[in-house]
């Protein structure tokens, strides 16, 4: 039987109700083993209201606590029915102020033995973020296309120089910003974001070394909401670089493929 959760969102236009039904787990095409819990929104729900709801879920009000607790327990229990959570000894989570992530961790704890390891991945200082100019040049600046049976370059040398100048200016601005400004101005929809290097790291060298020394762990990477998959992709690559043999399963509470 489907489980439904209802939240009332207050707005300038008055109160509106958001109802979500449990659609069960669904595999995502973004990662090989990525499970989206797929709570289903009303199909006619306004996108702006959906965004407000996600913000409400991430930072629940006092009156929402019991509903959000049930919301999270329902998802984690369903995940356990699909993959045995007792077999995971490592959990990785992005640094976040999200109340849902905190609840997910607390509830996941009952499925792990007393010695499981929890690692938190954090964003690098803005001044340390790098841009992969080599990859950008190959994939963007040196791109070609066919027209009239002839192969043409997409950008002239002058245009390439102009684009590179803009990127250097953008990186200079990023290095001077704080995290929240970057998230606002350089969001996941930016066509340049995938060229950022080492955006996520472990909190310190000791934690990174401890993670590297784990032998063939089964790793559960969790986050509350996945939209473009950019954040999880960065973290996935960070884990894979430190432990190429790991089996990584990704789980998000609400996901958009």
């Amino acid at each position: 039987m489907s489980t439904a959760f209802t939240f009332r969102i207050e707005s300038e236009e008055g109160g509106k109700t958001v109802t979500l039904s449990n659609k069960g787990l669904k595999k995502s095409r973004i990662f090989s083993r990525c499970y989206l819990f797929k709570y289903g929104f009303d199909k006619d729900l306004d996108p702006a209201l959906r965004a407000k709801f996600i913000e409400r879920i991430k930072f629940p009000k006092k009156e929402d606590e019991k509903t959000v607790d049930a919301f999270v327990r329902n998802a984690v229990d369903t995940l356990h029915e699909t993959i045995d959570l007792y077999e995971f000894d490592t959990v990785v989570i992005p640094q976040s102020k999200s109340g849902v992530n905190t609840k997910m961790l607390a509830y996941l704890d009952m499925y792990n033995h007393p010695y499981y390891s929890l690692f938190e991945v954090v964003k690098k200082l803005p001044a340390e973020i790098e841009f992969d100019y080599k990859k950008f040049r190959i994939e963007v600046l040196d791109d070609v296309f066919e027209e009239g049976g002839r192969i043409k370059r997409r950008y002239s040398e002058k245009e390439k120089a102009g684009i590179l100048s803009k990127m250097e200016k953008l990186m200079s601005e990023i290095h001077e910003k704080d995290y929240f400004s970057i998230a606002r101005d350089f969001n996941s929809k930016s066509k340049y974001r995938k060229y950022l290097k080492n955006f996520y790291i472990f909190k310190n060298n000791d934690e990174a070394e401890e993670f590297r020394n784990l032998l063939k762990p089964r790793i559960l990477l969790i986050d509350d909401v996945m939209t473009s998959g950019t954040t999880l992709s960065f973290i996935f690559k960070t884990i894979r670089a430190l432990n190429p043999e790991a089996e990584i399963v990704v789980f998000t509470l609400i996901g958009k493929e």
Side-chain angles (χ1 to χ4, degrees), residues 9 11 16-18 41 45-54:
I9 310 296
S11 66
K16 294 185 178 180
T17 299
V18 176
F41 289 98
L45 184 67
D46 177 66
L49 186 58
R50 183 172 58 199
K52 287 182 180 180
F53 165 78
I54 290 175

Side-chain angles (χ1 to χ4, degrees), residues 171-233:
M171 289 307 300
S172 178
E173 291 173 354
I174 286 175
H175 290 160
E176 295 175 0
K177 290 179 179 288
D178 57 40
Y179 294 138
F180 298 104
S181 295
I182 292 174
R184 184 172 60 249
D185 301 338
F186 200 66
N187 59 48
S188 61
K189 293 182 181 179
S190 169
K191 61 183 178 182
Y192 301 124
R193 180 157 184 162
K194 69 176 183 177
Y195 301 104
L196 284 176
K197 296 174 63 177
N198 306 321
F199 196 66
Y200 282 89
I201 58 172
F202 284 91
K203 284 193 293 187
N204 51 57
N205 290 334
D206 289 341
E207 187 169 281
E209 190 61 32
E210 182 185 353
F211 185 90
R212 185 183 288 110
N213 289 335
L214 292 174
L215 298 177
K216 298 182 179 178
R218 296 189 69 208
I219 299 169
L220 181 62
L221 169 56
I222 67 170
D223 201 7
D224 48 12
V225 179
M226 182 172 74
T227 51
S228 67
T230 305
T231 296
L232 290 175
S233 178

Side-chain angles (χ1 to χ4, degrees), residues 132-144 153 160 195:
D132 193 337
Y133 285 99
K134 181 178 179 180
K135 181 179 179 182
F136 183 66
R137 181 178 290 279
I138 293 172
E139 294 188 8
V140 178
L141 298 183
D142 292 339
D143 187 34
V144 296
R153 295 188 179 277
K160 290 181 184 180
Y195 301 104

